Amino acid sequence: GGSPELSHMEWKRNSAVPSGDRAVYEDEALCLALQFLTTIDQINVPNLKGCELMGRRIQLIREAYRISPSAPDFSASDHFLGWGRRRSGGAVAHKLRCGPAPHGGQHRKRIHKAREEKKLRAHRPTPKGKGKGKGEGAEEK
């Protein structure tokens, strides 16, 4: 129980993680953000996916340092954060890989349209002459 801030202070005190380690600062920042969201902003944190991700990151940090504080193991990040793996090894959320594009797919439509226009321009014959009426759409006399 208790607040996120107290949870951070307890983890910092009980873990063997050096106080200057970047994980201590990240854990503190995430805990304070959750603390401020609940107390000052009075947000209903359990209903927000972003806050859930913050909580998962806190858990990941603590688990990574639990077994070996001098050599943390973040290999479970995909599991903790609920992400899938890409071929390159980077993690991308499953919904981002498979779900609809933002803005109703408008971005994808614009990209597709631009590619189609580029293909059409590439296959269009270039006009041979330099004068007016020598190119495409010129009337024959």
Side-chain angles (χ1 to χ4, degrees):
S3 69
E5 185 178 19
L6 290 175
S7 172
H8 166 73
M9 291 188 322
E10 182 179 338
W11 174 73
K12 185 178 172 183
R13 183 178 55 249
N14 294 334
S15 71
V17 179
S19 61
D21 193 294
R22 67 174 287 286
V24 173
Y25 296 111
E26 185 178 359
D27 187 86
E28 180 180 26
L30 290 168
C31 287
L32 285 175
L34 287 174
Q35 177 87 18
F36 295 154
L37 284 168
T38 55
T39 57
I40 296 170
D41 299 333
Q42 297 185 355
I43 300 292
N44 190 2
V45 169
N47 288 337
L48 301 176
K49 188 70 171 173
C51 292
E52 177 187 344
L53 189 59
M54 291 168 66
R56 287 172 173 244
R57 180 67 184 172
I58 292 167
Q59 292 172 346
L60 171 63
I61 292 168
R62 294 178 182 184
E63 181 62 20
Y65 281 83
R66 181 180 63 85
I67 296 171
S68 177
S70 60
D73 179 16
F74 283 90
S75 62
S77 14
D78 291 342
H79 173 72
F80 272 85
L81 299 174
W83 295 351
R85 283 215 165 261
R86 291 191 304 183
R87 284 185 210 156
S88 65
V92 174
H94 177 73
K95 287 183 180 177
L96 291 177
R97 286 187 288 124
C98 300
H103 311 296
Q106 294 302 315
H107 182 67
R108 284 187 186 161
K109 287 179 186 177
R110 284 193 297 267
I111 290 172
H112 181 72
K113 187 175 180 181
R115 284 182 184 152
E116 289 297 318
E117 288 175 0
K118 186 176 179 181
K119 283 180 189 176
L120 289 173
R121 278 189 301 241
H123 296 305
R124 182 182 299 162
T126 56
K128 303 230 184 224
K130 293 183 180 181
K132 204 173 193 180
K134 302 277 184 172
E136 191 174 351
E139 293 181 22
E140 289 192 29
K141 292 184 182 180

